[in-house]
Amino acid sequence: MILELDCGNSFIKWRVLDPIGQGSILGSGIATEADGLLVELLSLPVTISKCRLVSVRSDSETALLVGAIARSLGVEVLCAAASEKLGGVTNGYKDFQRLGLDRWLAIVGAYQLCRGPCVVIDLGTAVTVDLIDEGGQHLGGYIAPGMSLLTAQLRTHTKRILYDEQEAKAALSDVAPGRSTSEAVERGCLKMLHSYIESQIDSAAHYLGGQPEVFVTGGDVSLLAERRPVKKVPDLVFKGLAIACPL
């Protein structure tokens, strides 16, 4: 069985695939640290024989995690690395090594799915938007605060804005004008996020010509407004990881 890991700054996303059963997912989850991850993996009723990983953590943190997995599971861990070209895509950064690895793999994964002009929107702690033309040239992209950062800034820097996570979640059940501080803040930031995404999709047509395919991924994908056709692909980074680290 193949273990795939996407190691972000806050969480480690993982899944186990059956390479024979058309890549069917046998298990998946999210861990906050290495010890918890290993407990989950060792409790699975399958034997992991191969592992591939993408990490945006520091080299030392990644090395510790790789070592722990190798020792506990007895497998070699393949790590995705920065590259100028991969899967038909040319990295558009002036210094290709500065483009975040998870973002790069999502770009590659999206292009493999459509083989044409596309926009990749990752809704996470930050919102990243990347443009890829028909020939696989990455044109660059944009980085902006995600929903959690937008609301956190208001709650941190405005003394009278006080409410808990339960109120925040309840506030997002609607987008009507808020009748409490929590509703006003959460819905205001959500509408700002929606407007930003819409403007990015519109401007992408200018750079790419016509109507490119739009792929959306990330932990906040459920917040996306259903205003136009997009493809929600939660495992977009894993699709790129499979290309970067074939097993």
Side-chain angles (χ1 to χ4, degrees):
M1 303 302 164
I2 298 175
L3 170 64
E4 296 183 323
L5 298 158
D6 176 6
C7 306
N9 291 305
S10 301
F11 301 102
I12 303 172
K13 300 174 187 176
W14 63 271
R15 69 180 189 178
V16 175
L17 304 179
D18 180 356
I20 298 176
Q22 296 182 336
S24 56
I25 300 173
L26 303 178
S28 63
I30 298 176
T32 56
E33 35 76 31
D35 290 343
L37 170 67
L38 291 171
V39 168
E40 290 186 71
L41 295 176
L42 290 170
S43 68
L44 294 173
V46 297
T47 300
I48 295 170
S49 58
K50 298 178 181 180
C51 178
R52 53 191 170 210
L53 171 153
V54 56
S55 174
V56 297
R57 301 186 175 194
S58 67
D59 291 343
S60 58
E61 287 179 299
T62 301
L64 287 173
L65 178 59
V66 169
I69 293 170
R71 287 191 302 273
S72 298
L73 302 180
V75 297
E76 180 185 1
V77 182
L78 295 183
C79 297
S83 57
E84 291 187 83
K85 293 185 178 182
L86 179 66
V89 182
T90 301
N91 195 313
Y93 260 29
K94 296 174 183 177
D95 178 356
F96 72 90
Q97 297 186 74
R98 302 282 297 191
L99 179 62
L101 273 176
D102 54 349
R103 188 172 154 203
W104 172 233
L105 295 185
I107 291 168
V108 172
Y111 186 74
Q112 285 289 314
L113 291 175
C114 70
R115 286 291 180 174
C118 58
V119 182
V120 181
I121 301 173
D122 190 333
L123 300 175
T125 303
V127 175
T128 62
V129 180
D130 286 283
L131 282 63
I132 306 94
D133 71 14
E134 187 171 6
Q137 176 64 55
H138 173 225
L139 303 184
Y142 304 90
I143 302 175
M147 184 68 176
S148 61
L149 286 179
L150 289 172
T151 56
Q153 285 299 303
L154 282 173
R155 294 168 70 177
T156 300
H157 297 287
T158 308
K159 293 181 180 179
R160 291 185 178 273
I161 295 182
L162 299 170
Y163 57 90
D164 59 28
E165 293 304 315
Q166 187 174 354
E167 286 183 90
K169 186 176 180 180
L172 293 176
S173 62
D174 197 350
V175 291
R179 300 186 64 185
S180 67
T181 299
S182 60
E183 289 180 352
V185 169
E186 295 293 322
R187 295 175 188 180
C189 289
L190 182 61
K191 289 181 75 68
M192 182 179 290
L193 181 62
H194 287 170
S195 297
Y196 175 70
I197 293 170
E198 289 293 312
S199 70
Q200 288 287 8
I201 295 174
D202 287 338
S203 67
H206 166 72
Y207 292 104
L208 298 172
Q211 289 299 321
E213 288 205 54
V214 180
F215 294 91
V216 183
T217 191
D220 282 344
V221 69
S222 62
L223 298 179
L224 186 71
E226 300 288 349
R227 294 177 181 171
R228 63 174 87 200
V230 300
K231 292 185 177 180
K232 296 180 180 179
V233 189
D235 62 346
L236 203 50
V237 172
F238 285 135
K239 291 187 182 301
L241 177 59
I243 297 168
C245 301
L247 294 170

